[in-house]
Amino acid sequence: MSDLPLADLDAFTAVAQERSFRAAALKRGVSASALSEALRRLEQRLGVRLLNRTTRSVTVTEAGERLLERLTPALGDVALALDQINSFRESPAGTLRLNVPTVVAMTFLPPLIGAFLKKYPDITLEVRGEDSFIDVLAAGFDAGIRYDERLERDMIAVPIGPGEQRYVTAAAPSYLADQGEPLHPNDILDHTCIRHRFLSGAMSPWEFERGDEVLRITPPARLIANTVELEIRAAIDGFGIIRTFEDFLVPALAEGKLVPILEDWVSFFPGPFLYYASRRHMPAPLRAFVDFIKQNR
């Protein structure tokens, strides 16, 4: 059995870990049918069933669990050995997978990764923008970008992007002409607002700061959405007050489509961090990205 194709063993590991051909295919960048064919070949060569498949689920057999237990560290060693060859290349190669918040993906990250990809033409970058808080390593990412209060303690954190950001409150001129301008955060309770709901279902209260004074309110909502573009469009159209990252609102504020309000109640907070696991050997694409970030701060 020593001549078993490494690619078929890797395919089995991917499907067994994900418990899904489709999820494993997305993660590997191949088709689900290709993985299915690899599993068929492997099971035929071994003469034993490794996975139980139905139209709704994939489960690992006892034999499959035994194989997965031994294969996972072995394939990890193979990947590490191959990646170490990168140190002999003129330019590192491979895939770098990042998980980032939506605000990062929409604001400062695009020009940053553009410069990075130009510098490292042999690196493929995969970026997923989402606002749910997940274990990025368990989900197959090499690193994540998060704000300080969401960083895991056993991670290395490197500042990335602006050192400070802020939340601002704004409304359309038409809304303020019809409803008046709130002069204090508590006045917002008498207005209609546009609020953001995270994919987790959470909808955070609005927090205002002025000096040492901190106020948290739960404003009445005219619109609740999880799409920033939709929320900003609704605010521009005069359907309510919006409070969000200043970065999102800069174009609308610059064009006068939105007007800042409660400017003495702006909340400042530290910028985001790139974070990754502490380990002796870092994959070459991640090492290149970390070095690039440090050089361009």
Side-chain angles (χ1 to χ4, degrees):
M1 294 298 178
S2 59
D3 60 342
L4 286 172
L6 188 62
D8 290 353
L9 293 170
D10 184 60
F12 160 71
T13 303
V15 177
Q17 290 175 338
E18 297 292 330
R19 299 298 198 268
S20 165
F21 279 88
R22 182 173 179 274
L26 287 172
K27 188 173 178 180
R28 286 293 195 273
V30 298
S31 67
S33 60
L35 291 180
S36 180
E37 177 61 21
L39 262 295
R40 186 195 64 77
R41 287 195 304 266
L42 184 61
E43 289 179 330
Q44 189 174 50
R45 292 287 298 278
L46 293 174
V48 64
R49 180 175 290 278
L50 301 173
L51 299 174
N52 291 317
R53 302 93 134 161
T54 70
T55 56
R56 304 181 67 177
S57 67
V58 174
T59 58
V60 185
T61 66
E62 183 178 355
E65 290 284 5
R66 291 285 183 89
L67 181 61
L68 181 64
E69 183 180 334
R70 301 297 296 271
L71 273 182
T72 300
L75 289 175
D77 288 342
V78 171
L80 177 60
L82 292 174
D83 188 69
Q84 286 178 327
I85 300 300
N86 261 326
S87 61
F88 295 94
R89 293 174 54 92
E90 195 170 304
S91 177
T95 299
L96 172 63
R97 297 178 176 85
L98 301 178
N99 185 283
V100 308
T102 301
V103 64
V104 169
M106 292 179 63
T107 55
F108 69 82
L109 191 60
L112 191 65
I113 63 174
F116 175 74
L117 291 174
K118 285 181 181 178
K119 184 173 182 179
Y120 297 102
D122 295 324
I123 291 179
T124 298
L125 183 60
E126 179 182 334
V127 180
R128 181 186 296 176
E130 62 180 346
D131 295 319
S132 56
F133 301 107
I134 64 171
D135 183 335
V136 295
L137 298 182
F141 295 93
D142 298 295
I145 297 178
R146 287 293 182 268
Y147 288 86
D148 182 59
E149 68 272 17
R150 296 294 182 179
L151 295 179
E152 286 88 351
R153 294 180 181 178
D154 59 345
M155 293 287 188
I156 296 175
V158 177
I160 185 173
E164 184 177 70
Q165 292 180 276
R166 63 181 194 163
Y167 277 107
V168 298
T169 313
S174 60
Y175 177 88
L176 297 176
D178 290 340
Q179 304 296 326
E181 180 177 343
L183 302 178
H184 188 277
N186 287 333
D187 295 340
I188 289 180
L189 297 173
D190 296 322
H191 287 258
T192 55
C193 299
I194 297 161
R195 302 192 61 193
H196 183 83
R197 188 187 297 279
F198 294 97
L199 292 178
S200 65
M203 194 161 58
S204 301
W206 286 6
E207 184 174 294
F208 296 85
E209 298 178 16
R210 184 174 64 180
D212 295 331
E213 189 176 3
V214 178
L215 290 176
R216 293 180 182 85
I217 66 170
T218 302
R222 180 77 189 280
L223 172 70
I224 300 171
N226 67 355
T227 305
V228 174
E229 295 89 346
L230 177 61
E231 296 161 24
I232 295 173
R233 181 73 255 177
I236 290 173
D237 290 342
F239 290 110
I241 295 171
I242 188 170
R243 182 170 174 80
T244 187
F245 284 92
E246 182 181 32
D247 308 71
F248 285 146
L249 302 183
V250 166
L253 292 171
E255 295 172 13
K257 295 178 179 179
L258 292 176
V259 177
I261 59 176
L262 298 172
E263 293 187 84
D264 55 340
W265 288 91
V266 172
S267 300
F268 291 86
F269 53 93
F273 292 81
L274 174 75
Y275 74 103
Y276 52 94
S278 174
R279 51 191 172 190
R280 183 163 33 179
H281 176 76
M282 189 187 304
L286 178 57
R287 166 55 64 193
F289 190 66
V290 171
D291 291 343
F292 179 82
I293 295 304
K294 291 178 177 179
Q295 292 165 7
N296 287 273
R297 281 203 57 78

